[in-house]
Amino acid sequence: MRNWLDGVLVYMMYLVSLGNTINPARDSCLNYESTYHLDRACECVIYQSYGGSSGRFTSPNFPQVYPRKTTCILYTFIGDVGEIVELTFLQFDLKLPSHNRCGDFVRVFQNLDRPEVNEYSKHDVELCGNISMIDKNFYSKSRSLVLEFHADGLPGGNYSGFQGLFHFRDKPSFRETDGVIRPRRVDVVNSRDEYTISGTRVPGTQCTYYFTSNNYNKTGRFFSPKYPQPYPASATCQYHFEALPGERVQLFFQNIQLHHQDTSYGWGSCRDSPDAVVVYDGRDNKSNVIGQYCDIHNQVELVSSGRYLFIEFYSDDRHAKKGFSATYKFISYLHPPDKNYHQDPQNGSRGTPWGSKITTLSPEFHCNENYNSAKRKNGTISSPFYPRSYPSDVTCRYTFQGVGRERVQIRFTHMDLYYPGGDATNPGDCEGTDSISVHVIISGKPANLGTYCGKKLPPMLMSNEPKLIVEFRSVQSSTYVTGFQADYSFVTNFGINEGKQDNRGVCMFNFFSTKQSQGTFSSPNYPGLYPRNTECHYLFYGRGKERVHITFPKFQVDGISPKCEEGTESDYVSFSNFAETEDRKMHRLCGVITEEKRRHIESDGPFFRVIFKSNDVYDAEGFQAFFKFRGAKPRSTRPTTSNGTGTNYPFVLLLFTAIFTHILMTST
């Protein structure tokens, strides 16, 4: 009964809040010297502080659809002397951006000297889309803040608008760091701000930092400028890391939220994105790219292959988002054996993240091993006592850790596990039987690439990051099975052996007609399953009037055609005649292309770019493609004589006869 009454009370409070929905009146606009609101036909709402007061603000008619012809509404918040304004968006539902521009938007003016905007005022943030695409908290720099709400008036779409809370806060309770207003933290040791960058900023720069290892400094934090508030427009930041000899740099991005280039398909290449974080495995941007991030990412880990690591962050002049938060650590070794996975001398085993036990039975075989690319780039793993039968009730774990842009490639060469459930050469369900599971790390969490059993060889597999885990688990024992064996390699070319690898991208390959007029190229790890969360670029450079022709003898890319959109969780192959932007007239390919549907792709000129992109959900065999540089189509030629001079004698004779006849007629 009590729960029912509580629910009624909450619902009544919600109805009261809806009753306070604001439909502004134009005559309440403030104007000092500006005619901004008149020029734009703005309506206005004023929120005045009465000593730490607070309240709610909404778009017109919220939660119903706001009018499509909302030309301009100014929400002006004015605090008392010694106060600042805090805004928190609770709900946000505006028209989605199109072609990198907002049709309907809310502009936030945080840095105002007085409570008005004019034609010279520059907004700090422009918001559109839904609540997941924006930052929710904003603070004014002084006592006033203004929101400008605008709808483009075009038909289409029913959007409910926005709802938020405002508070007038005591300014001494906040501090300004690097131009950003943040709440003071009384629980921070030694009053260190939780968003203070640990490195040394270069004087005269906005965000160029150096991080150097020494005997006392091995860890720290760094952020995008103004984090957790939106980063500034047209930002260019550099972060330089230098470890001691024998050390490497380990990065961990807790969260990345960047504006991503909107395309007609809903997403595209990070190389085309105006806002991005690029990680280089060396001193500067001439080093190998080992990570390039745009849009939203969580729990990203990277390790340099040497002492140095360099990061670039850049943004365009609009649609700023939250940015990124990251930590770094200077390490002298790579992932030493984890005590949680070692044999306990007293109890014999310990738990794993998947709830299985790790057992070390005998020094005769390698079980629960950590393979580090710094020690060895390739090798072999196998089941206990291979090629003899393995014992029952044992779980072995093989952990692979690379550096830089290395990926772990696993190729099974022998598979013979006990399978009592039917045909071992074509097993069905592997549940409850002897099996091998392969895991990668996605957003900081283990993801299962597949579980395999029986005698059927698993496909060749590849990690999406420099880490991969193979787990072998036996349930029963049989003297008739021999176990498994697999080859592993740490590769930097993603298993792509064609073209010349280009260090400007994580996975980028160049093909020049001066080197090879025709050939093949394939998806990463082909003919095995391509890795998840991977983007590869294939750049073709022809000469003069040459064009690039591409056909796909083999094509199996997980997705739903014909649009291959993000909303359908599709991987895809796209094409562009441009080096840095997506070509909207070129269609994406995904799914399975059969012989009946097979067709060739042709460039408009001598340059062509092919992009392969996979998400973090599914995988497939990928593609194998054939390319050829062809010359321009030949023009029709004139008949030639036997001596090859190209003179058309019948035409010349006819012309001479006509001229001679004309002269005779005029002379008579």
Side-chain angles (χ1 to χ4, degrees):
M1 183 68 177
R2 176 63 184 272
N3 293 338
W4 180 81
L5 290 174
D6 290 344
V8 171
L9 180 60
V10 170
Y11 181 68
M12 291 176 66
M13 294 176 66
Y14 174 71
L15 292 178
V16 170
S17 70
L18 296 185
N20 293 332
T21 297
I22 294 173
N23 287 291
R26 184 178 301 179
D27 58 4
S28 62
C29 289
L30 292 178
N31 63 303
Y32 296 92
E33 299 176 355
S34 171
T35 59
Y36 185 90
H37 66 288
L38 298 176
D39 298 339
R40 288 161 177 76
C42 294
E43 299 176 305
C44 299
V45 187
I46 309 297
Y47 301 90
Q48 181 76 48
S49 173
Y50 297 99
S53 56
S54 62
R56 185 185 303 266
F57 64 95
T58 70
S59 55
N61 300 332
F62 185 88
Q64 305 301 319
V65 177
Y66 59 81
R68 295 298 308 144
K69 294 184 179 180
T70 304
T71 305
C72 173
I73 300 176
L74 296 178
Y75 297 77
T76 304
F77 303 85
I78 308 171
D80 285 345
V81 176
E83 290 183 336
I84 65 170
V85 184
E86 178 189 52
L87 297 186
T88 302
F89 283 97
L90 303 177
Q91 298 184 56
F92 197 91
D93 180 31
L94 266 60
K95 186 177 180 180
L96 293 170
S98 176
H99 304 300
N100 204 27
R101 295 187 180 277
C102 294
D104 300 358
F105 58 78
V106 173
R107 288 177 175 167
V108 185
F109 297 83
Q110 298 171 260
N111 296 282
L112 299 175
D113 295 326
R114 55 187 182 184
E116 72 164 344
V117 293
N118 56 44
E119 59 273 19
Y120 303 109
S121 302
K122 178 164 179 60
H123 59 276
D124 296 282
V125 184
E126 184 175 270
L127 309 175
C128 62
N130 56 53
I131 191 71
S132 66
M133 302 170 65
I134 69 166
D135 283 293
K136 302 173 183 63
N137 298 309
F138 296 91
Y139 300 92
S140 66
K141 191 170 184 179
S142 59
R143 59 183 293 196
S144 58
L145 184 148
V146 172
L147 301 180
E148 179 181 344
F149 175 44
H150 170 87
D152 58 18
L154 299 177
N158 295 320
Y159 306 97
S160 59
F162 55 85
Q163 176 183 217
L165 298 176
F166 66 86
H167 291 86
F168 296 105
R169 303 291 194 185
D170 185 21
K171 189 171 184 178
S173 299
F174 292 75
R175 64 167 56 190
E176 182 175 348
T177 306
D178 295 331
V180 181
I181 302 296
R182 301 186 179 101
R184 290 184 181 273
R185 288 281 302 270
V186 297
D187 58 336
V188 176
V189 178
N190 297 328
S191 300
R192 281 189 66 184
D193 193 294
E194 64 174 325
Y195 297 115
T196 298
I197 295 179
S198 304
T200 302
R201 183 165 64 90
V202 176
T205 67
Q206 179 189 35
C207 47
T208 297
Y209 290 87
Y210 280 83
F211 306 83
T212 305
S213 175
N214 54 50
N215 293 332
Y216 309 100
N217 176 26
K218 297 297 182 184
T219 63
R221 300 175 298 179
F222 63 102
F223 310 91
S224 54
K226 295 190 175 183
Y227 187 90
Q229 295 188 35
Y231 46 79
S234 303
T236 301
C237 300
Q238 297 181 348
Y239 306 85
H240 301 259
F241 297 85
E242 181 177 354
L244 293 174
E247 292 182 335
R248 290 185 172 88
V249 186
Q250 182 182 51
L251 299 182
F252 187 73
F253 288 92
Q254 288 94 350
N255 180 248
I256 299 174
Q257 293 186 37
L258 306 179
H259 169 64
H260 187 35
Q261 175 75 35
D262 178 64
T263 71
S264 59
Y265 298 102
W267 63 319
S269 167
C270 280
R271 285 185 57 82
D272 303 337
S273 184
D275 300 3
V277 173
V278 186
V279 184
Y280 299 86
D281 192 18
R283 290 176 178 268
D284 51 35
N285 58 10
K286 296 179 181 178
S287 306
N288 294 346
V289 175
I290 61 174
Q292 188 159 3
Y293 306 100
C294 58
D295 206 12
I296 298 176
H297 298 270
N298 294 301
Q299 313 298 313
V300 176
E301 182 180 351
L302 293 165
V303 180
S304 67
S305 62
R307 293 177 54 194
Y308 301 98
L309 191 140
F310 174 65
I311 299 176
E312 275 186 328
F313 165 64
Y314 55 84
S315 66
D316 67 358
D317 59 354
R318 54 184 178 268
H319 305 313
K321 304 202 91 171
K322 192 172 185 177
F324 66 84
S325 169
T327 61
Y328 67 89
K329 186 177 183 180
F330 297 110
I331 57 176
S332 57
Y333 49 81
L334 285 176
H335 296 273
D338 191 332
K339 63 181 181 180
N340 291 328
Y341 302 123
H342 273 216
Q343 180 182 1
D344 189 318
Q346 301 298 324
N347 302 319
S349 64
R350 289 181 180 265
T352 73
W354 294 278
S356 59
K357 65 180 181 179
I358 299 295
T359 307
T360 300
L361 296 176
S362 166
E364 293 182 32
F365 63 87
H366 298 288
C367 189
N368 313 324
E369 290 292 314
N370 291 275
Y371 298 88
N372 189 325
S373 69
K375 297 179 180 179
R376 191 172 180 180
K377 296 297 183 183
N378 52 67
T380 301
I381 62 173
S382 59
S383 53
F385 303 121
Y386 179 85
R388 291 177 289 164
S389 60
Y390 50 82
S392 62
D393 194 26
V394 60
T395 300
C396 291
R397 204 158 174 263
Y398 312 82
T399 301
F400 302 87
Q401 179 66 60
V403 296
R405 65 181 176 196
E406 288 179 338
R407 299 296 186 265
V408 187
Q409 187 179 55
I410 296 288
R411 184 174 65 88
F412 289 87
T413 57
H414 182 81
M415 186 77 168
D416 182 18
L417 305 186
Y418 180 65
Y419 184 74
D423 184 3
T425 61
N426 189 26
D429 187 9
C430 294
E431 184 70 25
T433 188
D434 300 354
S435 63
I436 296 172
S437 297
V438 182
H439 304 269
V440 295
I441 306 300
I442 295 178
S443 297
K445 299 178 181 179
N448 189 358
L449 290 185
T451 299
Y452 310 97
C453 56
K455 296 178 180 292
K456 186 177 181 179
L457 278 177
M460 187 164 60
L461 300 171
M462 179 175 286
S463 65
N464 58 297
E465 291 183 355
K467 188 171 185 177
L468 182 140
I469 302 129
V470 176
E471 186 174 82
F472 166 68
R473 180 182 299 179
S474 69
V475 179
Q476 302 182 38
S477 178
S478 171
T479 58
Y480 300 103
V481 295
T482 55
F484 79 91
Q485 186 179 58
D487 296 333
Y488 71 86
S489 299
F490 293 97
V491 299
T492 58
N493 67 350
F494 290 79
I496 299 172
N497 299 312
E498 308 90 358
K500 182 178 180 181
Q501 191 161 10
D502 192 329
N503 292 333
R504 295 176 300 168
V506 180
C507 178
M508 180 180 292
F509 297 85
N510 296 325
F511 299 83
F512 301 93
S513 67
T514 54
K515 304 277 182 156
Q516 188 178 8
S517 62
Q518 62 184 21
T520 61
F521 65 101
S522 61
S523 53
N525 198 46
Y526 186 85
L529 301 183
Y530 53 74
R532 299 181 186 180
N533 265 4
T534 297
E535 180 178 316
C536 291
H537 293 245
Y538 310 82
L539 309 181
F540 297 86
Y541 297 89
R543 296 171 295 174
K545 296 182 179 180
E546 287 181 336
R547 294 186 179 184
V548 185
H549 291 249
I550 293 175
T551 56
F552 291 92
K554 301 284 183 66
F555 192 96
Q556 185 178 346
V557 175
D558 185 81
I560 299 177
S561 58
K563 293 188 176 180
C564 308
E565 294 177 314
E566 178 186 17
T568 60
E569 296 181 331
S570 294
D571 304 330
Y572 66 84
V573 175
S574 67
F575 310 90
S576 178
N577 288 287
F578 311 106
E580 299 294 338
T581 59
E582 189 155 348
D583 198 333
R584 298 182 184 277
K585 72 176 183 179
M586 304 291 291
H587 295 289
R588 291 180 176 177
L589 294 181
C590 65
V592 177
I593 297 181
T594 61
E595 285 293 338
E596 297 79 31
K597 297 181 179 179
R598 202 170 308 285
R599 56 176 177 162
H600 75 272
I601 310 295
E602 182 180 80
S603 68
D604 291 343
F607 175 81
F608 203 46
R609 180 171 60 139
V610 179
I611 304 167
F612 165 79
K613 189 165 185 178
S614 64
N615 57 34
D616 60 0
V617 183
Y618 303 112
D619 37 43
E621 184 178 299
F623 67 84
Q624 185 180 51
F626 176 80
F627 73 88
K628 185 174 184 179
F629 293 98
R630 294 180 181 175
K633 294 180 179 179
R635 297 179 180 178
S636 58
T637 57
R638 296 174 296 176
T640 59
T641 61
S642 59
N643 62 10
T645 59
T647 305
N648 192 332
Y649 284 103
F651 175 79
V652 174
L653 181 60
L654 181 62
L655 178 62
F656 179 80
T657 304
I659 294 173
F660 182 76
T661 303
H662 176 72
I663 294 174
L664 289 177
M665 292 179 65
T666 52
S667 62
T668 58

